[in-house]
Structures are given as C-alpha cells and as structure tokens.
C-alpha cells in the first residue's frame, strides 16, 4: 500500500497548554536577558512561524524586538536530512552590530542551525544566540548551541505547531506523534 493511502493516528506529545506555558517561560527568560537591548529575532521559515509569533507576543513589551525571516530547507518533502541545507530566503536588513536571536522550530541533525550560524556570524552581529522550541538530541550529527530550548523530545515522527509532514498539519495546536494505525 502506498504511503499516501496509509492511515495515521495522532497522539499528543506536547499539549497546547504545555507549549503555551513553556513559551511563556522562554519569553520571560529572553526578556530578562535582552533588557535594555534591541534584539533582532530571525524566524527560520517555515517551521518557526507559529512559535515565533507566540514567543514575541509573550515578550515584555519594554523589549524593542524587531523581526525578520530566513528560509532554509534541509528536508524538502522527505524525511532524511540533505546535510546541505539550502538557504531559500535571506535577510532584508544588515545585522552588523545587532543582537541577533535565531528562532527555530526544531533542531534535528543540526545542519540547518550550523549553516545559519556560519552564514550569520561572518556578518559581525554584536551577539548571535539561538532559540528552538524542540530538539531531538538523539538525532544530532553536528553539535550546535541552543541557548533557549523549549523541549527535548524523543526521536518520534512529529507534526503540528509549525512542524509538518510533507507540508501538511503545521496548523495543529498540539505537537503530536504521528503513528501508522
Ligand atoms: C526543518 C526545521 C529545521 C530543520 C532542522 O526544516 O524547521 O529548520 O529541519 O533539521 P536539521 O537540524 O536536521 O537541519 P525543513 O527543512 O523541514 O523545512 P521547514 O521549516 O520549511 O519545514
């Protein structure tokens, strides 16, 4: 039977409430660390768009955060890392002397974050930190720093809250484990 005809069930891995609470905690921590600064949040498309939107709305309004986006693709519609992430969209503004926070939905093998850090650090930001909602440490092939991490998760097929399966299900409110039924 073709994969497209396989049926699946969803088991909640991280509930909407749990995610909301953790995002709030991360936002508080980030607000403390960037007090008096004007950070630039860089959302890594597509996966981070929901997390970034929620994170920014939980920030202390005193923080004058700006936002821009990059797009990087490692997996396309497949499930195996290309190991050579392709930068599909670059920033529209210079980051020299800026306090930059890269925001990812998930760090898996690590190649995407590694490529982004390499690309951005040569542009001489004042600081460059990273934030990811999810990490699958057991899948890591290159070591990358995650300064703010939402959840360490097991190596399961997940989707929702920005993460996808072949571009589907990004809008699910929970992060779910997708299981063949
Ligand atoms: C996903 C995710 C990260 C990357 C992590 O992007 O959003 O950017 O993979 O994987 P890695 O640590 O193994 O490099 P994907 O290529 O699926 O694109 P998307 O964000 O548009 O879904």
């Amino acid at each position: 039977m073709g994969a497209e005809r396989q049926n699946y069930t969803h088991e909640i891995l991280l509930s909407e409430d749990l995610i909301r609470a953790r995002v709030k905690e991360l936002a508080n921590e980030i607000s403390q660390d960037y007090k008096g600064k004007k950070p630039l949040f860089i959302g890594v498309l597509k996966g981070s768009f929901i997390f970034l939107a929620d994170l920014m709305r939980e920030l202390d309004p005193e923080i004058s955060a700006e936002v821009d986006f990059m797009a990087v693709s490692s997996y396309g519609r497949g499930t195996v890392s290309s190991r050579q992430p392709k930068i599909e969209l670059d920033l529209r503004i210079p980051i020299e002397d800026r306090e930059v926070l890269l925001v990812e939905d998930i760090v898996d093998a690590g190649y995407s974050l590694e490529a982004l850090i390499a690309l951005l650090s040569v542009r001489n930001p004042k600081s460059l930190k990273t934030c990811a909602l999810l990490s699958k440490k057991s899948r890591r092939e290159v070591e990358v720093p995650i300064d703010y991490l939402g959840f360490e998760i097991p190596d399961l097929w997940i989707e929702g809250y920005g993460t996808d399966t072949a571009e589907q299900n990004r809008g699910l409110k929970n992060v779910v484990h997708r299981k063949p039924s």
Side-chain angles (χ1 to χ4, degrees):
M1 183 163 67
E4 67 280 2
R5 273 186 273 142
Q6 173 90 54
N7 289 320
Y8 293 91
T9 57
H10 279 163
E11 194 173 90
I12 294 178
L13 182 67
L14 304 169
S15 72
E16 192 183 347
D17 288 350
L18 185 65
I19 296 169
R20 190 181 306 118
R22 186 68 187 123
V23 169
K24 222 171 229 187
E25 285 176 357
L26 287 175
N28 288 343
E29 204 183 323
I30 291 168
S31 297
Q32 283 295 324
D33 294 353
Y34 286 89
K35 211 174 193 158
K37 297 176 180 169
K38 290 185 177 169
L40 173 66
F41 285 55
I42 299 179
V44 183
L45 298 173
K46 300 173 192 169
S48 74
F49 76 111
I50 290 176
F51 173 45
L52 176 67
D54 285 349
L55 185 70
M56 287 199 78
R57 284 179 291 184
E58 293 295 345
L59 285 180
D60 182 336
E62 301 269 300
I63 303 282
S64 331
E66 291 176 26
V67 68
D68 202 352
F69 296 93
M70 293 184 77
V72 59
S73 177
S74 290
Y75 292 85
R77 296 177 79 87
T79 56
V80 179
S81 171
S82 62
R83 298 189 171 161
Q84 288 180 317
K86 199 165 152 238
I87 305 293
E88 313 265 12
L89 173 76
D90 204 340
L91 297 171
R92 282 190 272 180
I93 54 172
I95 58 163
E96 183 156 4
D97 235 17
R98 299 294 310 263
E99 312 262 8
V100 174
L101 182 64
L102 263 174
V103 181
E104 266 283 21
D105 56 340
I106 184 164
V107 181
D108 196 316
Y111 294 107
S112 304
L113 201 53
E114 182 185 53
L116 287 162
I117 291 171
L119 186 74
L120 296 181
S121 41
V122 295
R123 297 182 189 176
N124 300 319
K126 189 168 189 179
S127 66
L128 177 58
K129 290 211 223 175
T130 61
C131 174
L133 179 72
L134 309 169
S135 161
K136 284 184 180 172
K137 186 107 180 133
S138 60
R139 299 246 307 174
R140 208 76 90 243
E141 293 178 26
V142 285
E143 276 313 309
V144 281
I146 307 178
D147 297 292
Y148 304 97
L149 175 62
F151 302 94
E152 194 61 63
I153 59 168
D155 183 13
L156 298 172
W157 182 352
I158 57 129
E159 56 189 19
Y161 199 73
T163 65
D164 69 312
T165 298
E167 298 299 331
Q168 295 298 299
N169 293 330
R170 293 192 195 269
L172 299 176
K173 289 179 176 163
N174 306 301
V175 172
V176 301
H177 174 201
R178 177 176 169 131
K179 294 164 125 177
S181 59

